[in-house]
Amino acid sequence: MTERETAAKRIKELRAAIDRAAKLYYVDDSPEISDYEYDMMFRELSLLEEKYPEYITEDSPTRRVGGKALSKFEKVTHTVRMGSLSDVFSFEETEDFLTKIADTLGYDTAFSVEPKIDGLSVSLEYRDGKLTVGSTRGDGIVGEDVTENLKTIKTIPLSLPDKLPLLEVRGEVFMPRKSFAKLNAECEEAGTKTFANPRNAAAGSLRQLDSKITAKRGLDIFVFNIQRIEGKTFASHTESLDYLVSQGFHVITDRKKLCGTKNILDRINELGSIRPKLPYDIDGVVIKADDLSERVEIGENTSTPKWAAAYKFPPEQAKTKVEDIVIQVGRTGVLTPKALLTPVRVAGSTVSAATLHNIDFITEKDIRIGDTVILQKAGDIIPEIVSVCKEERTGAEEPYKMPALCPSCGEAVHKDADEAATRCTNNTSCPAQIERSIEHFASRDAMNIEGMGPAVVKLLISSGLISKVSDIYSLRTEDVENLERMGKKSAENLIKAIENSKARGLDKLIFALGIRNVGEKAAKSLALHFEDIEKLFSATAEDITAIEDFGAVTAQDVVSFFSHPQTRVFVDELIRCGVITKYESEKKGDFLAGYTFVLTGTLPTLSRADASAMIESFGGKCSGSVSKKTSFVLAGEEAGSKLTKAQSLGIKIIDEEKFLLMIEEQKI
């Protein structure tokens, strides 16, 4: 046997051994070899493939580390629509769902009851036993090709024992809690923004153009359905899942086949009670008729099956203690009280603090230092105190009073009678306000200075390199490279990002200035209307209220900001640094003039900002709410109440594909 033939044989042996070890470790949770032995086999395979590249195949375990970065994701049209399920939010609604099925069939039937994984849905298509295409759900009809990223997930088999002509399965990609904690720790160490929850982290990781990044994120998957299959048939959902297990798929084991309403409701309660202890997040329980022939008899609604429903858990709550209440000073001088809590795990992450908004909120709920409180996450993201356990008070709890002086600068604070917020009166030299203003100025939606997150801003201030916003543009590589956790490359990237920010445009600059009550949309309107920041210095409240959607309060805030002498000094400093202060129109036409769009959900390839920019460049208008004046609702994955309202009003709903065709043809 020649050396090349020996290598080919060894490559085949190593692939089989590595695939078996990976399945035992990641899918079956019963490893037979050590991590070191696995790593050595993987290393040997990598070296052999490097020496003999002609033997590299797409289903080799080495393909899981990520390949060449993409410039964009291609679209994939789903042969079988990746629909959603009807949600039920109470046991009464669940009983009603089960009763309707019993009435349709004339008897009680068996249901597959499965935890609802809180992740994002994907399709995996296999031809002749090999993974060929992996795609996101998108809007259910058109998704994105993320095959290379999905290949990095070790629980997705790249080839199957049965070489069926076609097998398409659907699964839920998620980030285990352990991986999520590791990722956020790395983000904190790097001074970058952390992720709100594992689902957001999984979504962001799966849509990386560089699959090498995805490979490092520790994603996992549970496959839960067969979409299409050739060469095999099944009588029940349970039978089909058992088959998928035999093919090496990661299928959730904590599923049960149950009959009877009481048994199903008991199972929902059981899953709800163990939810915090699971290594992954679930947000409900899926109930599906198990017999596939019965599903046909039960039928489907227009957009959802009648034979399945998703019971959604109420927001997860936890009991904890208010250890202290501290004050954060925002960029506009608002003093926001924050509760420091005994760390507690809730809705997928450990929470140790929650905003208390203002003194009125504290007074209304009677929150005291030392209180035991009930905590939940609004939208499963933002921690909030729901109520106080007053029955557990001992008498040692301390009522809270807002400070009379700003904790950052020591100046007096003030609260208007008609406003809930308490503000620091030292707008020009309060250290906390300056720090928050710099953070806001550099943020993604403002001047988008990549690499200048809160941790880096704090570092630059504490080192004495900057003390106000305009100082950013005086930074040099040699100033930054010797700072802790920076280095030459990071410093060079930061200086380059700062230089690039000078040309972000007038609308981004106006938003970056941090004018009270002026968000991104209002900043864009001001830039379009005045076109030059100089005109804003002489604008009156009447000039500004003439702009659509501008009220008297916001107009006066703009006038007050630009009439302040410090603003004139600040803008002049930016101009001297080369920051562009005139609006450079990106208008490409006006065929959308007179049309109002509302965006909702996650689009397959476009961000909301990109879609909004395209609409506005052709003369259209974007609104945040649906009304009778809305022309189109551009809907993506997981569109919510806006989509429902649009349907009730009979407003035309389009997906990204129709929108892009509209733009391409410049035709409504």
mmCIF file with all atom_site columns, all heavy atoms in Angstrom, residues 449-453 456 460 472 475 477 480 483 486 488-500:
data_model
loop_
_atom_site.group_PDB
_atom_site.id
_atom_site.type_symbol
_atom_site.label_atom_id
_atom_site.label_alt_id
_atom_site.label_comp_id
_atom_site.label_asym_id
_atom_site.label_entity_id
_atom_site.label_seq_id
_atom_site.pdbx_PDB_ins_code
_atom_site.Cartn_x
_atom_site.Cartn_y
_atom_site.Cartn_z
_atom_site.occupancy
_atom_site.B_iso_or_equiv
_atom_site.pdbx_formal_charge
_atom_site.auth_seq_id
_atom_site.auth_comp_id
_atom_site.auth_asym_id
_atom_site.auth_atom_id
_atom_site.pdbx_PDB_model_num
ATOM 1   N N   . ILE A 1 449 ? -18.667 54.616 16.498 1.00 0.00 ? 449 ILE A N   1
ATOM 2   C CA  . ILE A 1 449 ? -17.218 54.444 16.644 1.00 0.00 ? 449 ILE A CA  1
ATOM 3   C C   . ILE A 1 449 ? -16.973 53.062 17.239 1.00 0.00 ? 449 ILE A C   1
ATOM 4   O O   . ILE A 1 449 ? -17.040 52.863 18.454 1.00 0.00 ? 449 ILE A O   1
ATOM 5   C CB  . ILE A 1 449 ? -16.601 55.552 17.528 1.00 0.00 ? 449 ILE A CB  1
ATOM 6   C CG1 . ILE A 1 449 ? -16.928 56.928 16.937 1.00 0.00 ? 449 ILE A CG1 1
ATOM 7   C CG2 . ILE A 1 449 ? -15.095 55.359 17.646 1.00 0.00 ? 449 ILE A CG2 1
ATOM 8   C CD1 . ILE A 1 449 ? -16.432 58.091 17.765 1.00 0.00 ? 449 ILE A CD1 1
ATOM 9   N N   . GLU A 1 450 ? -16.714 52.106 16.358 1.00 0.00 ? 450 GLU A N   1
ATOM 10  C CA  . GLU A 1 450 ? -16.544 50.719 16.785 1.00 0.00 ? 450 GLU A CA  1
ATOM 11  C C   . GLU A 1 450 ? -15.330 50.595 17.703 1.00 0.00 ? 450 GLU A C   1
ATOM 12  O O   . GLU A 1 450 ? -14.263 51.131 17.427 1.00 0.00 ? 450 GLU A O   1
ATOM 13  C CB  . GLU A 1 450 ? -16.376 49.817 15.566 1.00 0.00 ? 450 GLU A CB  1
ATOM 14  C CG  . GLU A 1 450 ? -16.480 48.347 15.888 1.00 0.00 ? 450 GLU A CG  1
ATOM 15  C CD  . GLU A 1 450 ? -16.495 47.472 14.648 1.00 0.00 ? 450 GLU A CD  1
ATOM 16  O OE1 . GLU A 1 450 ? -16.678 48.023 13.539 1.00 0.00 ? 450 GLU A OE1 1
ATOM 17  O OE2 . GLU A 1 450 ? -16.315 46.259 14.780 1.00 0.00 ? 450 GLU A OE2 1
ATOM 18  N N   . GLY A 1 451 ? -15.508 49.883 18.804 1.00 0.00 ? 451 GLY A N   1
ATOM 19  C CA  . GLY A 1 451 ? -14.415 49.699 19.757 1.00 0.00 ? 451 GLY A CA  1
ATOM 20  C C   . GLY A 1 451 ? -14.411 50.712 20.876 1.00 0.00 ? 451 GLY A C   1
ATOM 21  O O   . GLY A 1 451 ? -13.578 50.638 21.786 1.00 0.00 ? 451 GLY A O   1
ATOM 22  N N   . MET A 1 452 ? -15.359 51.684 20.830 1.00 0.00 ? 452 MET A N   1
ATOM 23  C CA  . MET A 1 452 ? -15.419 52.670 21.907 1.00 0.00 ? 452 MET A CA  1
ATOM 24  C C   . MET A 1 452 ? -16.702 52.456 22.707 1.00 0.00 ? 452 MET A C   1
ATOM 25  O O   . MET A 1 452 ? -17.610 53.291 22.724 1.00 0.00 ? 452 MET A O   1
ATOM 26  C CB  . MET A 1 452 ? -15.350 54.100 21.352 1.00 0.00 ? 452 MET A CB  1
ATOM 27  C CG  . MET A 1 452 ? -15.182 55.151 22.454 1.00 0.00 ? 452 MET A CG  1
ATOM 28  S SD  . MET A 1 452 ? -14.921 56.833 21.830 1.00 0.00 ? 452 MET A SD  1
ATOM 29  C CE  . MET A 1 452 ? -13.172 56.796 21.521 1.00 0.00 ? 452 MET A CE  1
ATOM 30  N N   . GLY A 1 453 ? -16.764 51.306 23.364 1.00 0.00 ? 453 GLY A N   1
ATOM 31  C CA  . GLY A 1 453 ? -17.887 51.024 24.241 1.00 0.00 ? 453 GLY A CA  1
ATOM 32  C C   . GLY A 1 453 ? -17.676 51.646 25.608 1.00 0.00 ? 453 GLY A C   1
ATOM 33  O O   . GLY A 1 453 ? -16.670 52.321 25.858 1.00 0.00 ? 453 GLY A O   1
ATOM 34  N N   . VAL A 1 456 ? -14.202 51.155 27.322 1.00 0.00 ? 456 VAL A N   1
ATOM 35  C CA  . VAL A 1 456 ? -13.104 51.912 26.708 1.00 0.00 ? 456 VAL A CA  1
ATOM 36  C C   . VAL A 1 456 ? -13.242 53.401 27.011 1.00 0.00 ? 456 VAL A C   1
ATOM 37  O O   . VAL A 1 456 ? -12.252 54.087 27.273 1.00 0.00 ? 456 VAL A O   1
ATOM 38  C CB  . VAL A 1 456 ? -13.049 51.657 25.184 1.00 0.00 ? 456 VAL A CB  1
ATOM 39  C CG1 . VAL A 1 456 ? -12.045 52.581 24.505 1.00 0.00 ? 456 VAL A CG1 1
ATOM 40  C CG2 . VAL A 1 456 ? -12.687 50.204 24.912 1.00 0.00 ? 456 VAL A CG2 1
ATOM 41  N N   . LEU A 1 460 ? -10.423 55.669 28.785 1.00 0.00 ? 460 LEU A N   1
ATOM 42  C CA  . LEU A 1 460 ? -9.863  56.880 28.187 1.00 0.00 ? 460 LEU A CA  1
ATOM 43  C C   . LEU A 1 460 ? -10.003 58.078 29.121 1.00 0.00 ? 460 LEU A C   1
ATOM 44  O O   . LEU A 1 460 ? -9.108  58.925 29.219 1.00 0.00 ? 460 LEU A O   1
ATOM 45  C CB  . LEU A 1 460 ? -10.547 57.170 26.847 1.00 0.00 ? 460 LEU A CB  1
ATOM 46  C CG  . LEU A 1 460 ? -10.261 56.167 25.716 1.00 0.00 ? 460 LEU A CG  1
ATOM 47  C CD1 . LEU A 1 460 ? -11.185 56.420 24.535 1.00 0.00 ? 460 LEU A CD1 1
ATOM 48  C CD2 . LEU A 1 460 ? -8.801  56.256 25.274 1.00 0.00 ? 460 LEU A CD2 1
ATOM 49  N N   . ILE A 1 472 ? -12.174 63.211 21.561 1.00 0.00 ? 472 ILE A N   1
ATOM 50  C CA  . ILE A 1 472 ? -12.077 61.940 20.832 1.00 0.00 ? 472 ILE A CA  1
ATOM 51  C C   . ILE A 1 472 ? -11.257 62.124 19.560 1.00 0.00 ? 472 ILE A C   1
ATOM 52  O O   . ILE A 1 472 ? -10.426 61.277 19.200 1.00 0.00 ? 472 ILE A O   1
ATOM 53  C CB  . ILE A 1 472 ? -13.491 61.421 20.473 1.00 0.00 ? 472 ILE A CB  1
ATOM 54  C CG1 . ILE A 1 472 ? -14.248 60.989 21.724 1.00 0.00 ? 472 ILE A CG1 1
ATOM 55  C CG2 . ILE A 1 472 ? -13.417 60.266 19.474 1.00 0.00 ? 472 ILE A CG2 1
ATOM 56  C CD1 . ILE A 1 472 ? -15.713 60.675 21.473 1.00 0.00 ? 472 ILE A CD1 1
ATOM 57  N N   . LEU A 1 475 ? -7.302  62.067 19.660 1.00 0.00 ? 475 LEU A N   1
ATOM 58  C CA  . LEU A 1 475 ? -6.586  60.853 20.057 1.00 0.00 ? 475 LEU A CA  1
ATOM 59  C C   . LEU A 1 475 ? -5.663  60.367 18.943 1.00 0.00 ? 475 LEU A C   1
ATOM 60  O O   . LEU A 1 475 ? -5.988  60.458 17.756 1.00 0.00 ? 475 LEU A O   1
ATOM 61  C CB  . LEU A 1 475 ? -7.582  59.746 20.410 1.00 0.00 ? 475 LEU A CB  1
ATOM 62  C CG  . LEU A 1 475 ? -8.371  59.903 21.712 1.00 0.00 ? 475 LEU A CG  1
ATOM 63  C CD1 . LEU A 1 475 ? -9.472  58.853 21.790 1.00 0.00 ? 475 LEU A CD1 1
ATOM 64  C CD2 . LEU A 1 475 ? -7.451  59.812 22.923 1.00 0.00 ? 475 LEU A CD2 1
ATOM 65  N N   . THR A 1 477 ? -2.807  57.019 17.863 1.00 0.00 ? 477 THR A N   1
ATOM 66  C CA  . THR A 1 477 ? -2.517  55.610 18.135 1.00 0.00 ? 477 THR A CA  1
ATOM 67  C C   . THR A 1 477 ? -1.564  55.453 19.314 1.00 0.00 ? 477 THR A C   1
ATOM 68  O O   . THR A 1 477 ? -1.775  54.619 20.202 1.00 0.00 ? 477 THR A O   1
ATOM 69  C CB  . THR A 1 477 ? -1.902  54.932 16.892 1.00 0.00 ? 477 THR A CB  1
ATOM 70  O OG1 . THR A 1 477 ? -2.813  55.052 15.806 1.00 0.00 ? 477 THR A OG1 1
ATOM 71  C CG2 . THR A 1 477 ? -1.618  53.461 17.154 1.00 0.00 ? 477 THR A CG2 1
ATOM 72  N N   . VAL A 1 480 ? -3.100  55.643 22.755 1.00 0.00 ? 480 VAL A N   1
ATOM 73  C CA  . VAL A 1 480 ? -4.025  54.588 23.170 1.00 0.00 ? 480 VAL A CA  1
ATOM 74  C C   . VAL A 1 480 ? -3.364  53.226 23.342 1.00 0.00 ? 480 VAL A C   1
ATOM 75  O O   . VAL A 1 480 ? -3.757  52.437 24.202 1.00 0.00 ? 480 VAL A O   1
ATOM 76  C CB  . VAL A 1 480 ? -5.178  54.486 22.132 1.00 0.00 ? 480 VAL A CB  1
ATOM 77  C CG1 . VAL A 1 480 ? -6.156  53.388 22.525 1.00 0.00 ? 480 VAL A CG1 1
ATOM 78  C CG2 . VAL A 1 480 ? -5.896  55.817 21.994 1.00 0.00 ? 480 VAL A CG2 1
ATOM 79  N N   . LEU A 1 483 ? -2.457  51.667 26.799 1.00 0.00 ? 483 LEU A N   1
ATOM 80  C CA  . LEU A 1 483 ? -3.475  51.511 27.831 1.00 0.00 ? 483 LEU A CA  1
ATOM 81  C C   . LEU A 1 483 ? -3.749  50.038 28.092 1.00 0.00 ? 483 LEU A C   1
ATOM 82  O O   . LEU A 1 483 ? -3.534  49.180 27.221 1.00 0.00 ? 483 LEU A O   1
ATOM 83  C CB  . LEU A 1 483 ? -4.771  52.205 27.402 1.00 0.00 ? 483 LEU A CB  1
ATOM 84  C CG  . LEU A 1 483 ? -4.712  53.729 27.236 1.00 0.00 ? 483 LEU A CG  1
ATOM 85  C CD1 . LEU A 1 483 ? -6.058  54.246 26.754 1.00 0.00 ? 483 LEU A CD1 1
ATOM 86  C CD2 . LEU A 1 483 ? -4.334  54.401 28.554 1.00 0.00 ? 483 LEU A CD2 1
ATOM 87  N N   . MET A 1 486 ? -5.356  47.195 25.557 1.00 0.00 ? 486 MET A N   1
ATOM 88  C CA  . MET A 1 486 ? -5.475  47.775 24.225 1.00 0.00 ? 486 MET A CA  1
ATOM 89  C C   . MET A 1 486 ? -4.478  47.149 23.254 1.00 0.00 ? 486 MET A C   1
ATOM 90  O O   . MET A 1 486 ? -4.795  46.216 22.555 1.00 0.00 ? 486 MET A O   1
ATOM 91  C CB  . MET A 1 486 ? -5.313  49.302 24.279 1.00 0.00 ? 486 MET A CB  1
ATOM 92  C CG  . MET A 1 486 ? -6.497  50.011 24.924 1.00 0.00 ? 486 MET A CG  1
ATOM 93  S SD  . MET A 1 486 ? -8.088  49.678 24.131 1.00 0.00 ? 486 MET A SD  1
ATOM 94  C CE  . MET A 1 486 ? -7.928  50.575 22.597 1.00 0.00 ? 486 MET A CE  1
ATOM 95  N N   . LYS A 1 488 ? -1.336  47.736 20.113 1.00 0.00 ? 488 LYS A N   1
ATOM 96  C CA  . LYS A 1 488 ? -1.190  48.560 18.910 1.00 0.00 ? 488 LYS A CA  1
ATOM 97  C C   . LYS A 1 488 ? -2.327  48.332 17.915 1.00 0.00 ? 488 LYS A C   1
ATOM 98  O O   . LYS A 1 488 ? -2.888  49.287 17.364 1.00 0.00 ? 488 LYS A O   1
ATOM 99  C CB  . LYS A 1 488 ? 0.154   48.280 18.248 1.00 0.00 ? 488 LYS A CB  1
ATOM 100 C CG  . LYS A 1 488 ? 0.438   49.229 17.085 1.00 0.00 ? 488 LYS A CG  1
ATOM 101 C CD  . LYS A 1 488 ? 1.868   49.120 16.597 1.00 0.00 ? 488 LYS A CD  1
ATOM 102 C CE  . LYS A 1 488 ? 2.130   50.164 15.509 1.00 0.00 ? 488 LYS A CE  1
ATOM 103 N NZ  . LYS A 1 488 ? 3.527   50.125 15.023 1.00 0.00 ? 488 LYS A NZ  1
ATOM 104 N N   . LYS A 1 489 ? -2.667  47.063 17.663 1.00 0.00 ? 489 LYS A N   1
ATOM 105 C CA  . LYS A 1 489 ? -3.700  46.776 16.667 1.00 0.00 ? 489 LYS A CA  1
ATOM 106 C C   . LYS A 1 489 ? -5.049  47.341 17.082 1.00 0.00 ? 489 LYS A C   1
ATOM 107 O O   . LYS A 1 489 ? -5.755  47.958 16.268 1.00 0.00 ? 489 LYS A O   1
ATOM 108 C CB  . LYS A 1 489 ? -3.808  45.255 16.463 1.00 0.00 ? 489 LYS A CB  1
ATOM 109 C CG  . LYS A 1 489 ? -4.752  44.843 15.338 1.00 0.00 ? 489 LYS A CG  1
ATOM 110 C CD  . LYS A 1 489 ? -4.271  45.336 13.996 1.00 0.00 ? 489 LYS A CD  1
ATOM 111 C CE  . LYS A 1 489 ? -5.185  44.860 12.871 1.00 0.00 ? 489 LYS A CE  1
ATOM 112 N NZ  . LYS A 1 489 ? -4.798  45.411 11.560 1.00 0.00 ? 489 LYS A NZ  1
ATOM 113 N N   . SER A 1 490 ? -5.416  47.135 18.342 1.00 0.00 ? 490 SER A N   1
ATOM 114 C CA  . SER A 1 490 ? -6.687  47.675 18.837 1.00 0.00 ? 490 SER A CA  1
ATOM 115 C C   . SER A 1 490 ? -6.692  49.188 18.754 1.00 0.00 ? 490 SER A C   1
ATOM 116 O O   . SER A 1 490 ? -7.713  49.806 18.398 1.00 0.00 ? 490 SER A O   1
ATOM 117 C CB  . SER A 1 490 ? -6.928  47.230 20.287 1.00 0.00 ? 490 SER A CB  1
ATOM 118 O OG  . SER A 1 490 ? -7.058  45.837 20.368 1.00 0.00 ? 490 SER A OG  1
ATOM 119 N N   . ALA A 1 491 ? -5.555  49.804 19.091 1.00 0.00 ? 491 ALA A N   1
ATOM 120 C CA  . ALA A 1 491 ? -5.445  51.261 19.032 1.00 0.00 ? 491 ALA A CA  1
ATOM 121 C C   . ALA A 1 491 ? -5.597  51.763 17.598 1.00 0.00 ? 491 ALA A C   1
ATOM 122 O O   . ALA A 1 491 ? -6.305  52.748 17.337 1.00 0.00 ? 491 ALA A O   1
ATOM 123 C CB  . ALA A 1 491 ? -4.103  51.710 19.609 1.00 0.00 ? 491 ALA A CB  1
ATOM 124 N N   . GLU A 1 492 ? -4.949  51.084 16.664 1.00 0.00 ? 492 GLU A N   1
ATOM 125 C CA  . GLU A 1 492 ? -5.053  51.478 15.252 1.00 0.00 ? 492 GLU A CA  1
ATOM 126 C C   . GLU A 1 492 ? -6.492  51.365 14.751 1.00 0.00 ? 492 GLU A C   1
ATOM 127 O O   . GLU A 1 492 ? -6.988  52.249 14.037 1.00 0.00 ? 492 GLU A O   1
ATOM 128 C CB  . GLU A 1 492 ? -4.124  50.601 14.400 1.00 0.00 ? 492 GLU A CB  1
ATOM 129 C CG  . GLU A 1 492 ? -2.646  50.910 14.586 1.00 0.00 ? 492 GLU A CG  1
ATOM 130 C CD  . GLU A 1 492 ? -1.754  49.934 13.835 1.00 0.00 ? 492 GLU A CD  1
ATOM 131 O OE1 . GLU A 1 492 ? -2.270  48.892 13.371 1.00 0.00 ? 492 GLU A OE1 1
ATOM 132 O OE2 . GLU A 1 492 ? -0.538  50.218 13.716 1.00 0.00 ? 492 GLU A OE2 1
ATOM 133 N N   . ASN A 1 493 ? -7.162  50.280 15.143 1.00 0.00 ? 493 ASN A N   1
ATOM 134 C CA  . ASN A 1 493 ? -8.555  50.094 14.724 1.00 0.00 ? 493 ASN A CA  1
ATOM 135 C C   . ASN A 1 493 ? -9.455  51.173 15.299 1.00 0.00 ? 493 ASN A C   1
ATOM 136 O O   . ASN A 1 493 ? -10.366 51.669 14.618 1.00 0.00 ? 493 ASN A O   1
ATOM 137 C CB  . ASN A 1 493 ? -9.053  48.711 15.153 1.00 0.00 ? 493 ASN A CB  1
ATOM 138 C CG  . ASN A 1 493 ? -8.415  47.591 14.363 1.00 0.00 ? 493 ASN A CG  1
ATOM 139 O OD1 . ASN A 1 493 ? -7.903  47.818 13.270 1.00 0.00 ? 493 ASN A OD1 1
ATOM 140 N ND2 . ASN A 1 493 ? -8.432  46.388 14.914 1.00 0.00 ? 493 ASN A ND2 1
ATOM 141 N N   . LEU A 1 494 ? -9.204  51.549 16.556 1.00 0.00 ? 494 LEU A N   1
ATOM 142 C CA  . LEU A 1 494 ? -10.008 52.586 17.192 1.00 0.00 ? 494 LEU A CA  1
ATOM 143 C C   . LEU A 1 494 ? -9.813  53.933 16.502 1.00 0.00 ? 494 LEU A C   1
ATOM 144 O O   . LEU A 1 494 ? -10.785 54.638 16.201 1.00 0.00 ? 494 LEU A O   1
ATOM 145 C CB  . LEU A 1 494 ? -9.649  52.693 18.678 1.00 0.00 ? 494 LEU A CB  1
ATOM 146 C CG  . LEU A 1 494 ? -10.391 53.786 19.462 1.00 0.00 ? 494 LEU A CG  1
ATOM 147 C CD1 . LEU A 1 494 ? -11.893 53.566 19.412 1.00 0.00 ? 494 LEU A CD1 1
ATOM 148 C CD2 . LEU A 1 494 ? -9.906  53.833 20.911 1.00 0.00 ? 494 LEU A CD2 1
ATOM 149 N N   . ILE A 1 495 ? -8.583  54.307 16.225 1.00 0.00 ? 495 ILE A N   1
ATOM 150 C CA  . ILE A 1 495 ? -8.308  55.588 15.572 1.00 0.00 ? 495 ILE A CA  1
ATOM 151 C C   . ILE A 1 495 ? -8.916  55.612 14.171 1.00 0.00 ? 495 ILE A C   1
ATOM 152 O O   . ILE A 1 495 ? -9.451  56.647 13.729 1.00 0.00 ? 495 ILE A O   1
ATOM 153 C CB  . ILE A 1 495 ? -6.785  55.860 15.509 1.00 0.00 ? 495 ILE A CB  1
ATOM 154 C CG1 . ILE A 1 495 ? -6.190  55.905 16.925 1.00 0.00 ? 495 ILE A CG1 1
ATOM 155 C CG2 . ILE A 1 495 ? -6.493  57.156 14.769 1.00 0.00 ? 495 ILE A CG2 1
ATOM 156 C CD1 . ILE A 1 495 ? -6.841  56.894 17.868 1.00 0.00 ? 495 ILE A CD1 1
ATOM 157 N N   . LYS A 1 496 ? -8.883  54.479 13.489 1.00 0.00 ? 496 LYS A N   1
ATOM 158 C CA  . LYS A 1 496 ? -9.494  54.399 12.166 1.00 0.00 ? 496 LYS A CA  1
ATOM 159 C C   . LYS A 1 496 ? -11.006 54.581 12.257 1.00 0.00 ? 496 LYS A C   1
ATOM 160 O O   . LYS A 1 496 ? -11.621 55.286 11.432 1.00 0.00 ? 496 LYS A O   1
ATOM 161 C CB  . LYS A 1 496 ? -9.171  53.041 11.523 1.00 0.00 ? 496 LYS A CB  1
ATOM 162 C CG  . LYS A 1 496 ? -9.693  52.893 10.103 1.00 0.00 ? 496 LYS A CG  1
ATOM 163 C CD  . LYS A 1 496 ? -9.314  51.527 9.522  1.00 0.00 ? 496 LYS A CD  1
ATOM 164 C CE  . LYS A 1 496 ? -9.868  51.377 8.111  1.00 0.00 ? 496 LYS A CE  1
ATOM 165 N NZ  . LYS A 1 496 ? -9.527  50.041 7.531  1.00 0.00 ? 496 LYS A NZ  1
ATOM 166 N N   . ALA A 1 497 ? -11.630 53.960 13.264 1.00 0.00 ? 497 ALA A N   1
ATOM 167 C CA  . ALA A 1 497 ? -13.083 54.096 13.455 1.00 0.00 ? 497 ALA A CA  1
ATOM 168 C C   . ALA A 1 497 ? -13.459 55.538 13.791 1.00 0.00 ? 497 ALA A C   1
ATOM 169 O O   . ALA A 1 497 ? -14.487 56.039 13.339 1.00 0.00 ? 497 ALA A O   1
ATOM 170 C CB  . ALA A 1 497 ? -13.549 53.149 14.565 1.00 0.00 ? 497 ALA A CB  1
ATOM 171 N N   . ILE A 1 498 ? -12.615 56.200 14.581 1.00 0.00 ? 498 ILE A N   1
ATOM 172 C CA  . ILE A 1 498 ? -12.856 57.607 14.923 1.00 0.00 ? 498 ILE A CA  1
ATOM 173 C C   . ILE A 1 498 ? -12.790 58.468 13.661 1.00 0.00 ? 498 ILE A C   1
ATOM 174 O O   . ILE A 1 498 ? -13.647 59.336 13.433 1.00 0.00 ? 498 ILE A O   1
ATOM 175 C CB  . ILE A 1 498 ? -11.831 58.096 15.972 1.00 0.00 ? 498 ILE A CB  1
ATOM 176 C CG1 . ILE A 1 498 ? -12.098 57.421 17.322 1.00 0.00 ? 498 ILE A CG1 1
ATOM 177 C CG2 . ILE A 1 498 ? -11.879 59.613 16.112 1.00 0.00 ? 498 ILE A CG2 1
ATOM 178 C CD1 . ILE A 1 498 ? -11.016 57.650 18.358 1.00 0.00 ? 498 ILE A CD1 1
ATOM 179 N N   . GLU A 1 499 ? -11.813 58.209 12.828 1.00 0.00 ? 499 GLU A N   1
ATOM 180 C CA  . GLU A 1 499 ? -11.664 58.976 11.582 1.00 0.00 ? 499 GLU A CA  1
ATOM 181 C C   . GLU A 1 499 ? -12.871 58.741 10.671 1.00 0.00 ? 499 GLU A C   1
ATOM 182 O O   . GLU A 1 499 ? -13.414 59.692 10.086 1.00 0.00 ? 499 GLU A O   1
ATOM 183 C CB  . GLU A 1 499 ? -10.364 58.560 10.874 1.00 0.00 ? 499 GLU A CB  1
ATOM 184 C CG  . GLU A 1 499 ? -10.041 59.366 9.625  1.00 0.00 ? 499 GLU A CG  1
ATOM 185 C CD  . GLU A 1 499 ? -9.806  60.840 9.908  1.00 0.00 ? 499 GLU A CD  1
ATOM 186 O OE1 . GLU A 1 499 ? -9.358  61.171 11.029 1.00 0.00 ? 499 GLU A OE1 1
ATOM 187 O OE2 . GLU A 1 499 ? -10.094 61.664 9.006  1.00 0.00 ? 499 GLU A OE2 1
ATOM 188 N N   . ASN A 1 500 ? -13.305 57.502 10.571 1.00 0.00 ? 500 ASN A N   1
ATOM 189 C CA  . ASN A 1 500 ? -14.458 57.184 9.721  1.00 0.00 ? 500 ASN A CA  1
ATOM 190 C C   . ASN A 1 500 ? -15.737 57.846 10.215 1.00 0.00 ? 500 ASN A C   1
ATOM 191 O O   . ASN A 1 500 ? -16.624 58.166 9.420  1.00 0.00 ? 500 ASN A O   1
ATOM 192 C CB  . ASN A 1 500 ? -14.667 55.667 9.651  1.00 0.00 ? 500 ASN A CB  1
ATOM 193 C CG  . ASN A 1 500 ? -13.569 54.963 8.894  1.00 0.00 ? 500 ASN A CG  1
ATOM 194 O OD1 . ASN A 1 500 ? -12.845 55.578 8.114  1.00 0.00 ? 500 ASN A OD1 1
ATOM 195 N ND2 . ASN A 1 500 ? -13.422 53.663 9.119  1.00 0.00 ? 500 ASN A ND2 1
#
